[in-house]
Amino acid sequence: MKSIFTLLICFFFANLQLEAQTTPPANPAGPVPAMKTGKEDPKVNSRSIVPESIVVTQHQVTIKGQSVPYKATTGTLPVWDDEGKAIAGLFYTYYERSDIKDRSTRPLVISFNGGPGSASVWMHIAYTGPVVLNIDDEGYPVQPYGYKDNSASILDVADIVYIDPVNTGYSRTTGKDVPTNKFFGVRADIKYLAEWLNTFVTRTDRWASPKFLIGESYGTNRVSGLALELQNNQWMYLNGVILVSPTELGIERGGPVESALRVPYFAATAWYHKALPADLQSKTLTQFLPEVEEFTINELLPAIARGSSLSPQKLKEVVAKMARYSGLSEQVILQHNLDVSPDFFWKELLRDKGFTVGRLDSRYKGIDKAAAGDSPDYNAELTSWLHSFTPAINMYIRNELNYKTDLKYNMFGPVNPWDRSGDRTGDNLRQAMAQNPYLNLMVQSGYYDGACDYFNAKYSLWQLDAAGRLKDRITWEGYESGHMMYLRKVDLVKGNDHIRDFIRKSLPKPGVAAKF
């Protein structure tokens, strides 16, 4: 190929009534092949990355009773090295409401999942996007597999781009000689994604748009770090950051703090499985949990800190309360010196009934080979989710969005070893908020999430803003579901409504200056 060219291929699908087109964007590193479909391009029907490709399709969805036409752009966009050479291609899906004339005031939501090593599939086809998984109302798989319109999507109020970092989804490096330390680490991940976002925002002409980052799980580290990196090194300022099921964000919490903070999650799980005394079970979850939170901070944490200096009488009182709230026996709690690990809790809570409980969502139950042991054989919730997500995303991208490739869509990709040194992402976010008066924060947590539990998320907010100077720009929302709270139908609607409201509230009125 000796020159940059434009190639347009139109496909008409009588059953879908969709139009697909392919055009290669301008490339500062030299020409690359456009994305094609069919056998004419061997790179498409192979497992080689095409670092720059694009397919556009037209769609329509009804959201909250309103018809919303939209354009879906899917493809790959390069990650450049310092010499302008493409060293990776990141796969993305970009949804734009197509009846909007002026995008300067149209919000853009930039969406990442976590892992690290997880594709953006989870929030893409189960939460904020225009299609949603075909699952039951509590999030369990049903057949036939597939997807349907998402009437709760936020596409009515914002455009959305879902991004797969290197080795997730269809994203890959351009060759085995590309050093993985450019991608696989807390700081490296933030740096290259910020550069990529600069290219994306420039290509799509979205510099004027209000911008929001949303990340789930490890994606919360990613977007917290990106908030400052975009601001300091790409000169791109945000209006909002949304953390879904946040991690610890690099905020220190070892020893007694780590041991104590997990107990409110234990209590929520025990309440769900009806493992608590009748007087506690008679309360609603949100009525019951504040009592446990107060016990955790005011009694349990100091008791663990005191260790052997704790009086026998006080130890007896604390053990009795912890047993009452957690569904575990006093004997088990004493055997663990008040420090019960989550793994043991997932194995122990329903041991007498022959079940384990799920890590990411403890509403799910599993069956182990043996009742004995200190941890479950497998994550009951994750295998259930992969059951429904994997067929749907592969069907959707190929059949609905018309992106054809023989690359394997990595739900989880190889990203180890991951360099976790220098994780100050929570403080990065604080700095970004301190420097940018427009920047707001919302956190969403599921009460039954044992990997990134809700009370640890609250603790992170307390420590992130220890002086309380930012609290008028921070909100926290809880949901009676797990890590992916949106899999429960009622929380799919509620969670999207919270995001929709957050976006609207985070948009300053015209002419209102960014100042304290």
Side-chain angles (χ1 to χ4, degrees):
M1 190 181 305
K2 295 182 179 180
S3 63
I4 299 177
F5 61 90
T6 302
L7 178 62
L8 181 64
I9 303 175
C10 295
F11 298 90
F12 294 92
F13 296 88
N15 58 329
L16 297 178
Q17 296 182 333
L18 300 178
E19 179 186 37
Q21 65 182 13
T22 64
T23 58
N27 178 12
V32 294
M35 180 65 192
K36 297 182 180 181
T37 58
K39 296 181 179 179
E40 70 272 29
D41 187 345
K43 289 196 174 184
V44 173
N45 289 330
S46 75
R47 290 200 168 186
S48 299
I49 182 69
V50 179
E52 191 158 0
S53 60
I54 185 170
V55 176
V56 177
T57 50
Q58 304 292 337
H59 309 262
Q60 187 166 303
V61 63
T62 299
I63 300 173
K64 293 189 169 295
Q66 177 189 20
S67 179
V68 176
Y70 65 95
K71 178 174 74 172
T73 302
T74 190
T76 50
L77 195 62
V79 176
W80 314 108
D81 67 9
D82 293 339
E83 284 72 46
K85 176 185 175 183
I87 57 174
L90 292 197
F91 183 74
Y92 68 95
T93 305
Y94 174 39
Y95 297 105
E96 300 170 89
R97 182 166 176 165
S98 53
D99 59 354
I100 301 295
K101 294 181 180 179
D102 179 10
R103 296 199 184 275
S104 65
T105 58
R106 172 78 171 165
L108 172 65
V109 174
I110 300 163
S111 182
F112 292 99
N113 276 90
S118 173
S120 65
V121 54
W122 314 100
M123 290 196 292
H124 183 177
I125 63 168
Y127 195 11
T128 52
V131 301
V132 68
L133 281 180
N134 183 32
I135 49 180
D136 79 355
D137 288 353
E138 292 298 316
Y140 290 88
V142 296
Q143 291 183 331
Y145 301 119
Y147 48 86
K148 55 194 175 185
D149 284 354
N150 183 6
S151 61
S153 171
I154 61 169
L155 189 57
D156 57 333
V157 299
D159 297 336
I160 319 165
V161 58
Y162 299 91
I163 302 162
D164 292 334
V166 169
N167 274 7
T168 73
Y170 293 135
S171 300
R172 303 288 191 276
T173 60
T174 55
K176 294 182 179 179
D177 59 330
V178 178
T180 57
N181 63 6
K182 289 184 176 292
F183 311 105
F184 300 159
V186 175
R187 291 174 292 181
D189 180 71
I190 290 166
K191 185 177 187 301
Y192 91 83
L193 287 172
E195 290 283 348
W196 188 93
L197 283 169
N198 187 307
T199 303
F200 175 83
V201 168
T202 300
R203 292 276 188 94
T204 55
D205 193 22
R206 297 308 296 263
W207 276 99
S209 301
K211 298 172 190 68
F212 294 80
L213 294 177
I214 181 171
E216 179 180 47
S217 195
Y218 184 82
T220 60
N221 292 66
R222 182 172 284 139
V223 300
S224 295
L226 276 170
L228 188 64
E229 179 71 15
L230 287 170
Q231 191 167 294
N232 284 359
N233 294 313
Q234 305 299 327
W235 311 287
M236 186 184 298
Y237 287 74
L238 304 171
N239 287 73
V241 172
I242 302 162
L243 306 182
V244 180
S245 305
T247 66
E248 296 175 354
L249 303 177
I251 297 170
E252 185 60 41
R253 67 192 75 211
V257 173
E258 181 179 18
S259 301
L261 291 182
R262 62 179 72 117
V263 169
Y265 154 73
F266 289 173
T269 299
W271 181 91
Y272 178 82
H273 289 290
K274 297 180 170 52
L276 299 179
D279 64 315
L280 297 180
Q281 290 291 163
S282 66
K283 298 180 180 181
T284 67
L285 182 64
T286 53
Q287 287 173 339
F288 159 57
L289 286 177
E291 178 181 337
V292 186
E293 294 174 7
E294 288 300 309
F295 161 73
T296 298
I297 295 298
N298 298 327
E299 296 186 63
L300 180 59
L301 199 159
I304 297 174
R306 291 188 66 90
S308 62
S309 72
L310 190 67
S311 71
Q313 180 58 37
K314 186 60 179 177
L315 175 63
K316 183 178 180 181
E317 292 174 9
V318 170
V319 167
K321 283 190 178 181
M322 186 171 169
R324 171 173 162 80
Y325 292 142
S326 68
L328 303 176
S329 71
E330 292 186 20
Q331 181 183 15
V332 160
I333 293 169
L334 279 170
Q335 288 171 346
H336 285 82
N337 298 323
L338 304 179
D339 183 11
V340 178
S341 73
D343 290 89
F344 185 83
F345 176 79
W346 299 325
K347 181 77 174 184
E348 176 70 16
L349 182 67
L350 301 181
R351 194 191 299 263
D352 60 340
K353 295 180 174 61
F355 293 108
T356 62
V357 298
R359 169 177 174 263
L360 295 166
D361 191 330
S362 51
R363 296 175 302 152
Y364 290 71
K365 294 186 287 188
I367 300 175
D368 280 359
K369 180 178 181 180
D374 293 333
S375 62
D377 292 349
Y378 64 98
N379 292 338
E381 77 298 326
L382 186 56
T383 188
S384 174
W385 295 341
L386 289 167
H387 195 163
S388 50
F389 273 90
T390 311
I393 191 64
N394 282 278
M395 294 158 59
Y396 176 64
I397 291 175
R398 191 172 187 88
N399 300 335
E400 193 84 10
L401 301 183
N402 201 33
Y403 191 90
K404 313 288 187 183
T405 178
D406 281 344
L407 276 172
K408 180 171 69 173
Y409 188 91
N410 283 342
M411 304 291 284
F412 299 102
V415 298
N416 290 318
W418 188 270
D419 182 3
R420 295 183 180 271
S421 64
D423 184 355
R424 294 178 51 80
T425 50
D427 194 60
N428 293 160
L429 179 55
R430 181 200 61 78
Q431 288 184 57
M433 294 183 70
Q435 295 172 23
N436 177 7
Y438 279 157
L439 182 53
N440 295 278
L441 171 64
M442 180 171 72
V443 173
Q444 297 183 308
S445 296
Y447 291 115
Y448 306 129
D449 179 3
C452 301
D453 70 81
Y454 89 92
F455 198 56
N456 263 284
K458 287 186 174 183
Y459 180 84
S460 290
L461 293 182
W462 300 339
Q463 303 308 313
L464 183 149
D465 179 34
R469 300 293 301 277
L470 307 174
K471 61 184 179 182
D472 60 329
R473 290 189 277 149
I474 297 175
T475 56
W476 179 90
E477 302 289 351
Y479 307 87
E480 292 190 35
S481 40
H483 193 73
M484 299 179 189
M485 74 288 296
Y486 44 82
L487 294 182
R488 182 171 175 253
K489 186 175 181 180
V490 65
D491 291 323
L492 170 69
V493 176
K494 186 187 298 184
N496 275 306
D497 281 344
H498 286 152
I499 295 174
R500 190 177 282 105
D501 291 343
F502 174 74
I503 289 172
R504 287 171 172 153
K505 291 175 182 176
S506 299
L507 297 176
K509 294 179 181 178
V512 175
K515 63 181 180 180
F516 294 114

